[in-house]
Amino acid sequence: KCCDFASVNIVFQDNEVPDIKNAPADVTVSCYDNIPAMPTLNYTDNCLGAGTVTGEQVDNYTDCAGGTITRIWTVEDGCGNIA
Protein backbone atom coordinates (compact mmCIF):
# COMPACT_ATOMS: atom_id res chain seq x y z
CA LYS A 1 0.00 0.00 0.00
CA CYS A 2 1.14 3.55 -0.55
CA CYS A 3 1.10 4.50 3.11
CA ASP A 4 2.63 1.40 4.72
CA PHE A 5 5.76 2.13 6.70
CA ALA A 6 8.82 -0.03 6.45
CA SER A 7 11.61 0.13 8.96
CA VAL A 8 15.26 -0.46 8.36
CA ASN A 9 17.79 -0.84 11.16
CA ILE A 10 20.74 1.44 10.59
CA VAL A 11 23.85 0.88 12.64
CA PHE A 12 26.54 3.53 12.71
CA GLN A 13 29.91 2.98 14.34
CA ASP A 14 32.72 5.51 14.14
CA ASN A 15 36.04 3.89 14.99
CA GLU A 16 38.26 6.29 13.04
CA VAL A 17 40.56 8.36 15.24
CA PRO A 18 41.05 12.07 14.53
CA ASP A 19 44.16 13.00 12.55
CA ILE A 20 46.43 15.64 14.10
CA LYS A 21 48.42 17.44 11.41
CA ASN A 22 52.10 18.48 11.47
CA ALA A 23 53.07 17.46 15.00
CA PRO A 24 56.51 18.93 15.70
CA ALA A 25 59.57 16.70 15.86
CA ASP A 26 61.61 16.22 19.01
CA VAL A 27 64.28 18.91 19.46
CA THR A 28 67.36 19.33 21.62
CA VAL A 29 68.40 22.84 22.59
CA SER A 30 71.55 24.06 24.34
CA CYS A 31 69.89 26.97 26.17
CA TYR A 32 66.44 27.40 27.70
CA ASP A 33 66.08 30.64 25.70
CA ASN A 34 65.98 28.48 22.54
CA ILE A 35 62.91 26.45 23.58
CA PRO A 36 60.43 26.94 20.76
CA ALA A 37 56.96 28.29 21.47
CA MET A 38 54.20 25.71 21.64
CA PRO A 39 52.26 25.66 18.38
CA THR A 40 48.55 25.16 17.96
CA LEU A 41 47.98 22.14 15.70
CA ASN A 42 45.28 21.46 13.12
CA TYR A 43 43.22 18.27 13.11
CA THR A 44 40.59 16.59 10.97
CA ASP A 45 38.06 13.90 11.83
CA ASN A 46 35.42 12.08 9.80
CA CYS A 47 32.64 13.13 12.22
CA LEU A 48 34.09 16.05 14.17
CA GLY A 49 35.26 17.94 11.10
CA ALA A 50 38.34 20.15 11.20
CA GLY A 51 39.72 22.44 13.87
CA THR A 52 42.71 23.36 15.99
CA VAL A 53 43.98 22.00 19.28
CA THR A 54 46.17 23.65 21.90
CA GLY A 55 48.69 21.44 23.62
CA GLU A 56 49.51 20.94 27.27
CA GLN A 57 53.07 21.18 28.53
CA VAL A 58 54.78 19.35 31.39
CA ASP A 59 58.09 20.92 32.42
CA ASN A 60 60.75 18.81 34.10
CA TYR A 61 63.86 20.94 33.77
CA THR A 62 65.88 23.69 35.40
CA ASP A 63 67.49 26.59 33.57
CA CYS A 64 71.02 25.40 34.36
CA ALA A 65 70.79 21.62 34.71
CA GLY A 66 68.50 20.96 31.73
CA GLY A 67 65.88 18.21 31.64
CA THR A 68 62.82 17.57 29.52
CA ILE A 69 59.67 19.28 28.35
CA THR A 70 56.78 17.09 27.25
CA ARG A 71 54.05 18.57 25.05
CA ILE A 72 50.81 16.69 24.43
CA TRP A 73 48.02 17.55 21.96
CA THR A 74 44.83 15.53 22.38
CA VAL A 75 41.68 15.41 20.25
CA GLU A 76 38.66 13.25 21.13
CA ASP A 77 35.62 12.95 18.92
CA GLY A 78 32.06 12.35 20.10
CA CYS A 79 32.47 8.57 19.81
CA GLY A 80 35.46 8.40 22.16
CA ASN A 81 38.15 8.05 19.47
CA ILE A 82 41.31 9.75 20.74
CA ALA A 83 44.37 10.99 18.89
Side-chain angles (χ1 to χ4, degrees):
K1 297 179 180 179
C2 73
C3 296
D4 286 345
F5 289 99
S7 65
V8 176
N9 289 331
I10 298 174
V11 177
F12 175 77
Q13 182 177 9
D14 173 20
N15 56 7
E16 187 174 323
V17 299
D19 181 28
I20 297 176
K21 308 289 185 186
N22 301 319
D26 291 348
V27 319
T28 300
V29 297
S30 60
C31 177
Y32 62 88
D33 283 339
N34 297 332
I35 297 170
M38 179 173 318
T40 298
L41 301 180
N42 296 317
Y43 69 84
T44 59
D45 183 65
N46 63 324
C47 288
L48 192 58
T52 59
V53 60
T54 303
E56 296 181 29
Q57 179 169 303
V58 177
D59 295 329
N60 188 17
Y61 75 95
T62 64
D63 293 346
C64 297
T68 59
I69 295 173
T70 303
R71 294 175 171 173
I72 302 169
W73 294 264
T74 305
V75 177
E76 182 175 0
D77 68 16
C79 294
N81 301 308
I82 300 172

